[in-house]
Amino acid sequence: MTLIFAHRGYSVLNPENTMRAFMEAERAGADGLELDVQMTKDGQLVVIHDEKINRTTDGIGFVKDHTYKDLKKYNAGYKFKKWFQKTPIPSLEEVFEWMNSNRLICNIELKNGIIPYAGMEEKVISLIRRYKLEKRIIISSFNHYSIVYSYRIAPEIETAPLLSESLYMPWIYAKSIHARGIHPKYYRGLEDVFKLSIENGVAVRPYTVNKDASLKRLYEMGCTAVITDDPFKAIAIRNLYA
Ligand code: G3P
Ligand code: CA
């Protein structure tokens, strides 16, 4: 059965990358979460998509220029303020703490392609080990050097490179960097390549799949998982076609 990962949480209805979006994804029945990690000035791992806090919070500036304590003052749900109370930027540790109460899988995207946060991989991995989440985490990134480095320091944790362009025989590339999966950008027509990857032992979890017809196509070809903003809809469609 194709698993359903909530992209930045249940982000179609909730402020992305917030505890609320993660909890609502679980309530909707998602199998997993996808979230983005950046690092503060004082080296704390925080869950936010952009390098800057401008788009998703009521603050401004780079994550790397704020301390963790300072970042907590801002509202990551301000675009939804009509509906929700203040929702702070979560730390990765807060997410892990909450994961003690459920069985979700968590796909951590290391956002170290633009800013090469020194020591990010070590910090993420030591937190995963501290919370004994090794079997429930998939580390992904567009920074494939970081994927390889993560594998070297923690071969027990699954890795998956993010692919924004379609690669020739991506399963060969994945295996060459010891990745057990690939997370490709989804385009119609890639299903045959996805199928070959899976047949060659490499998991495929395309992003960001929101259209009914795309979900149906991926369920029918037996895709490993889909990363979607709307887990509730994805589950309803899976109930019909998977
Ligand atoms: O992990 C898939 C997807 O989240 C990658 O793109 O920009 O949404 O982080 P982005
Ligand atoms: Ca992401």
Side-chain angles (χ1 to χ4, degrees):
M1 187 178 67
T2 304
L3 299 181
I4 291 166
F5 286 14
H7 183 238
R8 311 181 195 173
Y10 190 165
S11 57
V12 79
L13 285 186
N14 300 276
E16 66 178 59
N17 281 322
T18 60
M19 288 310 300
R20 180 173 177 107
F22 303 142
M23 287 170 177
E24 289 300 311
E26 194 222 354
R27 237 159 55 89
D31 304 292
L33 308 170
E34 187 271 354
L35 55 80
D36 304 289
V37 172
Q38 308 260 2
M39 214 159 91
T40 64
K41 189 176 179 179
D42 50 345
Q44 296 297 312
L45 299 166
V46 284
V47 181
I48 180 166
H49 181 272
D50 302 355
E51 286 68 31
K52 284 183 168 179
I53 64 173
N54 303 38
R55 179 181 62 85
T56 55
T57 81
D58 49 359
I60 54 163
F62 285 95
V63 173
K64 71 170 176 57
D65 293 334
H66 288 275
T67 62
Y68 176 67
K69 192 172 166 218
D70 179 38
L71 268 192
K72 279 287 185 190
K73 295 194 302 224
Y74 301 110
N75 186 4
Y78 89 109
K79 282 190 185 158
F80 290 73
K81 63 176 178 280
K82 277 192 196 146
W83 297 284
F84 304 137
Q85 300 196 326
K86 188 178 167 208
T87 314
I89 298 170
S91 65
L92 186 60
E93 183 158 8
E94 278 174 86
V95 178
F96 284 2
E97 192 73 53
W98 167 73
M99 281 175 69
N100 275 326
S101 66
N102 59 60
R103 295 301 309 152
L104 290 176
I105 300 165
C106 180
N107 169 206
I108 298 172
E109 182 184 346
L110 304 179
K111 283 287 186 198
N112 53 2
I114 296 173
I115 298 172
Y117 296 110
M120 178 182 246
E121 296 91 345
E122 285 87 349
K123 281 177 195 273
V124 168
I125 285 162
S126 94
L127 201 62
I128 294 169
R129 287 179 173 154
R130 177 138 53 88
Y131 280 82
K132 299 191 176 20
L133 288 169
E134 293 92 331
K135 291 195 165 60
R136 291 168 62 197
I137 301 284
I138 302 159
I139 295 177
S140 66
S141 184
F142 286 109
N143 179 346
H144 296 186
Y145 288 93
S146 183
I147 289 290
V148 172
Y149 186 56
S150 298
Y151 172 79
R152 288 207 176 123
I153 57 179
E156 76 279 19
I157 300 171
E158 181 165 355
T159 56
L162 278 157
L163 306 174
S164 55
E165 305 291 336
S166 97
L167 282 186
Y168 180 65
M169 298 205 288
W171 59 90
I172 293 179
Y173 174 63
K175 287 181 185 184
S176 78
I177 60 166
H178 303 282
R180 284 181 247 166
I182 52 169
H183 291 188
K185 188 174 171 74
Y186 177 67
Y187 297 104
R188 184 176 181 174
L190 286 177
E191 290 80 8
D192 287 348
V193 179
F194 292 177
K195 220 174 180 158
L196 280 166
S197 277
I198 294 165
E199 283 166 14
N200 280 282
V202 172
V204 180
R205 305 181 192 90
Y207 71 92
T208 306
V209 189
N210 291 328
K211 290 193 182 128
D212 298 25
S214 308
L215 289 162
K216 176 173 180 276
R217 236 178 273 124
L218 290 167
Y219 296 150
E220 285 179 342
M221 57 118 317
C223 204
T224 315
V226 288
I227 301 175
T228 179
D229 296 327
D230 191 344
F232 186 81
K233 178 174 89 170
I235 292 164
I237 297 175
R238 184 174 67 180
N239 289 340
L240 295 174
Y241 298 107

